[in-house]
Amino acid sequence: MKCIIVDDEPLARNAIQRHIASIPGLNLSGQFSSTTSVGLFLKENEIDLIFLDIEMPGVNGIEFAKTISPNTLVIFTTAYPQYALDSYEVDAVDYLVKPIESERFRKAVNKAFLYHNLLKSNKQESIENIEAEYIFVKSDKRFSKVYFKDILFVEGLKDYVIIQTREQRIITRMYLKIIQEHLPKYFFRVNKSYIVNIEKIEYYDNNDVYIDSYEIGIGNTYRESLLKILHSRSL
């Protein structure tokens, strides 16, 4: 998978370069100090993944990501964790907060590899049957029965959804808003990219909900309604 780094800080670029060098199959094709300098390069070169800083002179990373080809994945790198929710608005694979830990970097890249393979395969798998308590999902040439009560959350990326349970991750082609229409009432959309099972939330604060080992940000649009529901359940 071919990648580039876009960051105005030389030390940050060097750190990301070292992380990239430690992962087989991830090949660095260039480094850029601004979104302006990388624009022409992307017109002439096919890149699979961009490690993109957010706070940069001129056009920032969020705005630049909106202009990138849908086949190019983005992992945001930032010193400001408050930008995490903004990353969902442009279908970013992940966001990494500087200084970036090796294991966290590897986790984000593994996710990028997964989505890259999906985009390349162009599979036509989908949800085949929806009942009151479960759904049948076609994935990897077979049908998987998934009970709603076992789902931790549903994540959307471009035109795929990822159904996450404790035991498995099922990936299928469908828009998030379509599956949302069929989920029971104990599922709630917490940001543009995630719908969570409220019954599975272990704890929460004003900014995030925590399910198993997953930390999921609460979007501004959804915060008031979600917190009202969670507060009422706490009482």
Side-chain angles (χ1 to χ4, degrees):
M1 188 162 61
K2 293 185 291 186
C3 68
I4 60 174
I5 303 167
V6 184
D7 197 310
D8 63 325
E9 299 177 0
L11 290 177
R13 293 198 301 271
N14 291 339
I16 295 171
Q17 182 179 359
R18 289 194 296 272
H19 285 305
I20 291 171
S22 70
I23 298 182
L26 190 59
N27 303 308
L28 183 62
S29 298
Q31 300 186 43
F32 303 86
S33 60
S34 70
T35 53
T36 303
S37 61
V38 76
L40 181 60
F41 178 84
L42 289 177
K43 290 179 181 179
E44 299 178 347
N45 298 271
E46 185 175 333
I47 295 299
D48 304 309
L49 173 64
I50 302 177
F51 294 95
L52 181 59
D53 189 19
I54 294 178
E55 280 285 356
M56 288 185 291
V59 178
N60 69 27
I62 296 290
E63 292 304 315
F64 180 70
K66 296 176 182 178
T67 70
I68 294 171
S69 164
N71 292 323
T72 302
L73 302 173
V74 173
I75 294 177
F76 282 115
T77 59
T78 176
Y80 305 95
Q82 65 267 27
Y83 284 119
L85 290 173
D86 294 329
S87 70
Y88 297 132
E89 299 300 318
V90 290
D91 284 330
V93 172
D94 209 338
Y95 70 96
L96 299 171
V97 179
K98 303 171 185 175
I100 302 169
E101 298 179 354
S102 297
E103 186 57 36
R104 184 68 182 85
F105 185 87
R106 186 175 296 276
K107 182 178 179 181
V109 170
N110 285 341
K111 195 174 179 183
F113 273 121
L114 173 67
Y115 293 157
H116 176 65
N117 290 334
L118 284 175
L119 293 174
K120 297 288 280 187
S121 66
N122 195 29
K123 292 180 180 179
Q124 297 297 320
E125 297 168 343
S126 64
I127 292 176
E128 296 294 319
N129 194 28
I130 302 175
E131 302 294 340
E133 296 182 352
Y134 59 85
I135 53 177
F136 273 105
V137 183
K138 185 182 179 184
S139 182
D140 292 333
K141 299 181 181 180
R142 66 181 182 180
F143 295 92
S144 299
K145 185 176 185 179
V146 184
Y147 284 93
F148 291 123
K149 64 181 179 61
D150 294 330
I151 297 174
L152 303 180
F153 58 82
V154 182
E155 178 185 357
L157 179 75
K158 302 183 188 295
D159 52 354
Y160 285 92
V161 295
I162 299 93
I163 300 171
Q164 183 71 54
T165 71
R166 283 196 172 92
E167 290 76 29
Q168 61 182 332
R169 170 183 289 177
I170 301 173
I171 302 167
T172 190
R173 182 180 286 274
M174 175 172 279
Y175 290 111
L176 193 64
K177 65 181 179 180
I178 300 299
I179 191 172
Q180 184 177 15
E181 296 172 359
H182 300 285
L183 292 170
K185 292 182 178 180
Y186 52 86
F187 282 85
F188 195 92
R189 195 161 186 164
V190 297
N191 61 53
K192 183 176 179 292
S193 300
Y194 282 84
I195 300 170
V196 305
N197 183 343
I198 292 179
E199 303 289 347
K200 301 296 185 182
I201 295 175
E202 297 178 1
Y203 55 99
Y204 65 92
D205 54 35
N206 286 336
N207 298 311
D208 302 282
V209 295
Y210 299 84
I211 301 175
D212 271 19
S213 61
Y214 303 96
E215 176 183 347
I216 301 170
I218 304 171
N220 292 331
T221 304
Y222 310 91
R223 180 175 288 108
E224 183 177 354
S225 298
L226 176 63
L227 292 180
K228 182 181 292 186
I229 292 172
L230 294 177
H231 288 338
S232 67
R233 286 171 172 257
S234 297
L235 292 175

